[in-house]
Amino acid sequence: MAVGMNKILVIGIGLFVSCLLLRCEEVDGKEYIVGDEKRWSPDANLTQWTEDKKFKAGDVLVFEYKDPLLMVAAVRDKYLFDKCDLYAGVIKLYTSGNDHAVLEKGTIYFAPYPSPYCENGMKLTVHVE
Ligand SMILES: *[C@@H]1O[C@H](CO)[C@@H](O)[C@H](O)[C@H]1NC(C)=O
């Protein structure tokens, strides 16, 4: 009898925790796979990719890539970003190949680092409300 009650309690707590987690995910905002099926790659048209999207603080950008040359630098400085001077401008570097960048308000720039792809135009500008 006592064992049965414990089991029910454990299941109850489990359900409660998973509900809590699910709800947290909702509050945290939307997840976007950068570049959709092309992922984070020189083939993706990132300008086009942002066109129909409205980003909010708490949304998450997922950068998926295999090539270590595509590690993602987040930059806040437009001048340095325009010049692809990422080394001077990087505020955060993502390196895992399955990177989750949580967006904060304002304009954030992303480019591959340390590859020459930035100079070739592989750049992502995101305006976050
Ligand atoms: C990317 O998409 C934009 C907007 O649709 C378009 O103007 C531009 O030519 C495209 N760039 C490339 C390299 O295809």
Side-chain angles (χ1 to χ4, degrees):
M1 182 68 187
V3 171
M5 287 297 280
N6 278 346
K7 249 186 207 158
I8 289 167
L9 201 65
V10 167
I11 291 168
I13 289 172
L15 282 176
F16 179 69
V17 169
S18 22
C19 290
L20 215 66
L21 290 177
L22 285 177
R23 206 159 299 150
C24 283
E25 232 162 21
E26 260 170 39
V27 172
D28 276 348
K30 276 184 87 158
E31 231 181 60
Y32 296 94
I33 308 284
V34 175
D36 292 328
E37 65 276 1
K38 298 232 168 95
R39 301 299 198 262
W40 178 242
S41 84
D43 298 335
N45 186 332
L46 298 168
T47 311
Q48 192 173 44
W49 182 79
T50 53
E51 261 169 11
D52 59 343
K53 296 180 179 63
K54 270 205 151 66
F55 300 101
K56 294 211 177 77
D59 286 351
V60 177
L61 296 188
V62 180
F63 295 87
E64 290 182 6
Y65 53 93
K66 297 217 164 64
D67 186 345
L69 288 176
L70 294 176
M71 291 191 308
V72 185
V75 178
R76 280 281 192 183
D77 187 313
K78 185 177 186 327
Y79 175 74
L80 293 175
F81 179 72
D82 286 346
K83 289 202 309 177
C84 285
D85 191 355
L86 303 173
Y87 179 75
V90 63
I91 51 166
K92 184 150 191 182
L93 186 63
Y94 299 91
T95 60
S96 78
N98 182 10
D99 299 316
H100 290 61
V102 181
L103 297 177
E104 289 165 22
K105 208 170 154 66
T107 302
I108 313 171
Y109 308 95
F110 296 95
Y113 180 87
S115 71
Y117 293 123
C118 179
E119 281 89 346
N120 295 344
M122 186 180 166
K123 293 172 156 197
L124 176 64
T125 301
V126 175
H127 303 286
V128 185
E129 286 172 13

